[in-house]
Amino acid sequence: MSLTAHISMQALHSMLLAGLLVLASARVDIRIGTATLRDPIPESFMGVSIEPLEEAPIYATNPIFIYLLGLLSKTSYGPFIVCWGGNSQDLNSMLYKDEAWRTLAELYNKTGVHYYLGLNMIDGEVAVAKNQIQNAFKYLPAESIFAISMGNEPDMYGTRKPNKYPLKFLDKRYLKDVQTYFKALAPVLLKKLNTTRVFAGPEVTRAERLRSETLLSLDPGSGMANIHEDAIMEQGLTDVRRWVSFCKRNGVPFRMSETNSLNLGGKRGVSDALGGALFVVD
């Protein structure tokens, strides 16, 4: 299982300023005993989620941010993951500027971080998603691509666009729609990455809404299962355990994003700080 924190622009700015003070005044060592772990810690265990992608040049050229990612990458079990997406990926129907992809390529060369890219699905425009990923592939090295997700929190589409999607879209139409996107993107993925197993999803807001057929029916496109558990982590742990077991049985990596969210606040004492993600591990 992997964890990703979600960070807003304002929160990251505050973190970077605080990081300067910490780096200038003290060194903090954290040791985690692994002798009693039932399973080995997977590669790419930790990550951060940032949005919107249009602001990538602001982050990727910030020397403090670059230094921070460099440190995290060096101390990680595997490549550190930066997810570009969230609500904003479903709000954007235009091509991202080339500058965004160029700066991300430069950031990869400097730090070795890998990218989890979110594409628009709520608009139902397959051509938009295909154009976005083709433009990204012009600049990003194949080895920098960790995963690609279609849409953000599709279990909420019926609420966000009730005139376009049924209330239970995840059950009624999600698999069909994702297959349409997969067929359009597969040739592009295969040409660049030599595989099509890079889809992550379905990015649902709660683990209890993730059904087994949602994953199995996505084969051969599914690269991993991914859910969001931010403000209510302690209520969803039973479902998380169930899905970790399911994914292990079926050979599908399991990733949990927004396990704590600085911009959304989270639940006090549980998921309202970066260290809150360790609550799930415990």
Side-chain angles (χ1 to χ4, degrees), residues 106-128:
E106 293 170 2
L107 183 64
Y108 165 76
N109 291 331
K110 293 176 181 177
T111 65
V113 297
H114 288 196
Y115 298 123
Y116 183 115
L117 304 176
L119 301 178
N120 184 315
M121 180 171 154
I122 199 169
D123 287 342
E125 298 290 342
V126 178
V128 170

Side-chain angles (χ1 to χ4, degrees), residues 140-206:
L140 297 180
E143 55 272 20
S144 71
I145 307 297
F146 178 69
I148 296 170
S149 72
M150 290 309 314
N152 181 67
E153 299 177 352
D155 53 315
M156 300 298 293
Y157 278 13
T159 301
R160 293 171 181 167
K161 281 198 172 184
N163 295 330
K164 187 178 180 67
Y165 294 100
L167 188 60
K168 293 187 177 181
F169 166 68
L170 192 66
D171 297 333
K172 296 181 178 180
R173 264 183 44 198
Y174 175 76
L175 294 177
K176 181 180 178 181
D177 284 19
V178 168
Q179 287 290 350
T180 300
Y181 278 85
F182 172 71
K183 289 178 181 178
L185 292 177
V188 181
L189 299 176
L190 196 60
K191 181 179 180 180
K192 177 73 173 184
L193 307 176
N194 292 320
T195 181
T196 58
R197 296 188 66 90
V198 292
F199 276 1
E203 303 277 357
V204 293
T205 58
R206 293 287 300 276

Side-chain angles (χ1 to χ4, degrees), residues 257-271:
S257 299
E258 300 187 22
T259 48
N260 45 285
S261 201
L262 297 186
N263 60 335
L264 298 178
K267 183 175 178 61
R268 182 175 297 178
V270 178
S271 57

